[in-house]
Amino acid sequence: MFPIRDHNPSGRVPFVTYALMLTNIAVFIGTWDLGQSPRALYAFYAEFALVPAFLMEGYGWQGLVTSMFLHGGLLHIAGNMLFLFIFGDNLEDEMGHLGFTLFYLACGIGAGLIHVISAPYSTVPTVGASGAIAGVMGGYLLLFPRARVDILLILIVIFRIIPVPAWLMLAIWFGMQLLGGWSTAPDEGGVAYWAHIGGFVAGLILTVPVWLKRGGPAFWNRTRGQPPHPVARYDRSHIPRIRRARRTTQVPRIRRR
């Protein structure tokens, strides 16, 4: 199940969202060659990734921020940037450029700290923007619980795009993180589920002041949990098709040497 777009256009150009996406992509391209040398990659991760055991020993704190801009593969960064592109612009619209920047970084740092708490002695480097983006999703849930999100549903050989309310899609996603967190040892490699959970909860909490400023429950009652503006619609084109006229003359064939 992959979200591909929402029906929630933003009222301003999301410069910060675009800048975050470009920064992540630029760092990914710039560090691509490190994968050719395991020794160089390990040294790089030891310096810039988040390693819980290092923090418990009193160093490596820069990894709480720098790890947010590192990714372990093409699918990793593609998925993260897709989620950021879909949900980031609306929170930036509500919080402002500076406010959203601080919010994004705070969610990423909070996600990293929860991961450290879940596996304090792990020496496995953790990279990715997932924790910060999970915070964006948590904030989106609070402000626009009933915004329509189109998801690509894949069931073996069946591919279908269906619209669902944001609260349903995000609740399913959060439930999957809880299930993964409870069933997977946090000090092993793989997905940092507790970082996702921590980032989501942090984003939800940090968005409460914005929600209250908009009126709190009155904001939900006024908008019914939907975007406070006309939703975007993606319909088929109504432009009539024009049939091609049949040729009345035959064009002579030309033989090329």
Side-chain angles (χ1 to χ4, degrees), residues 1-6 78-87 133 137 148-153 161-162 164 166 169-170 173:
M1 183 182 68
F2 303 96
I4 58 175
R5 65 190 177 194
D6 65 349
N80 278 346
M81 294 304 101
L82 174 63
F83 276 73
L84 179 57
F85 177 75
I86 293 174
F87 300 110
I133 297 172
M137 295 163 64
R148 287 176 58 193
V149 178
D150 288 346
I151 62 173
L152 175 62
L153 186 63
I161 297 175
I162 59 175
V164 298
M169 180 262 159
L170 294 174
W173 179 89

Side-chain angles (χ1 to χ4, degrees), residues 140-230:
Y140 193 100
L141 174 63
L142 183 62
L143 294 179
F144 312 109
R146 296 185 62 188
R148 287 176 58 193
V149 178
D150 288 346
I151 62 173
L152 175 62
L153 186 63
I154 302 176
L155 298 174
I156 305 178
V157 295
I158 300 175
F159 297 82
R160 187 172 182 179
I161 297 175
I162 59 175
V164 298
W167 69 265
L168 178 60
M169 180 262 159
L170 294 174
I172 293 175
W173 179 89
F174 187 71
M176 293 171 63
Q177 307 314 303
L178 286 175
L179 181 62
W182 287 331
S183 60
T184 305
D187 57 349
E188 296 179 356
V191 179
Y193 290 107
W194 288 106
H196 296 175
I197 296 169
F200 189 91
V201 174
L204 197 63
I205 294 173
L206 292 175
T207 309
V208 169
V210 178
W211 177 65
L212 292 176
K213 185 178 180 180
R214 297 293 184 274
F219 175 74
W220 280 349
N221 294 333
R222 186 168 62 253
T223 65
R224 296 184 179 181
Q226 298 179 359
H229 47 65

Side-chain angles (χ1 to χ4, degrees), residues 9-58:
S10 57
R12 71 179 84 183
V13 179
F15 293 110
V16 175
T17 299
Y18 291 159
L20 289 170
M21 294 176 63
L22 289 175
T23 301
N24 278 277
I25 294 171
V27 172
F28 179 75
I29 295 175
T31 57
W32 178 265
D33 290 341
L34 291 174
Q36 307 300 321
S37 173
R39 179 176 298 180
L41 184 63
Y42 178 80
F44 181 80
Y45 278 170
E47 182 68 24
F48 297 106
L50 174 61
V51 182
F54 291 177
L55 268 67
M56 297 302 295
E57 294 179 4

Side-chain angles (χ1 to χ4, degrees), residues 227-245:
H229 47 65
V231 299
R233 296 187 179 276
Y234 304 96
D235 299 324
R236 293 182 179 180
S237 174
H238 297 289
I239 300 176
R241 295 182 178 180
I242 301 177
R243 295 183 179 180
R244 294 183 178 179

Side-chain angles (χ1 to χ4, degrees), residues 64-143:
L64 286 171
V65 176
T66 55
S67 63
M68 284 189 276
F69 299 94
L70 304 176
H71 290 84
L74 186 59
L75 291 178
H76 188 198
I77 188 172
N80 278 346
M81 294 304 101
L82 174 63
F83 276 73
L84 179 57
F85 177 75
I86 293 174
F87 300 110
D89 61 330
N90 299 114
L91 256 68
E92 184 175 349
D93 196 13
E94 295 293 330
M95 298 178 177
H97 303 309
L98 178 60
F100 179 70
T101 302
L102 298 176
F103 168 84
Y104 182 89
L105 294 174
C107 289
I109 293 173
L113 291 175
I114 294 299
H115 176 65
V116 172
I117 293 173
S118 69
Y121 303 108
S122 173
T123 58
V124 178
T126 303
V127 297
S130 304
I133 297 172
V136 173
M137 295 163 64
Y140 193 100
L141 174 63
L142 183 62
L143 294 179

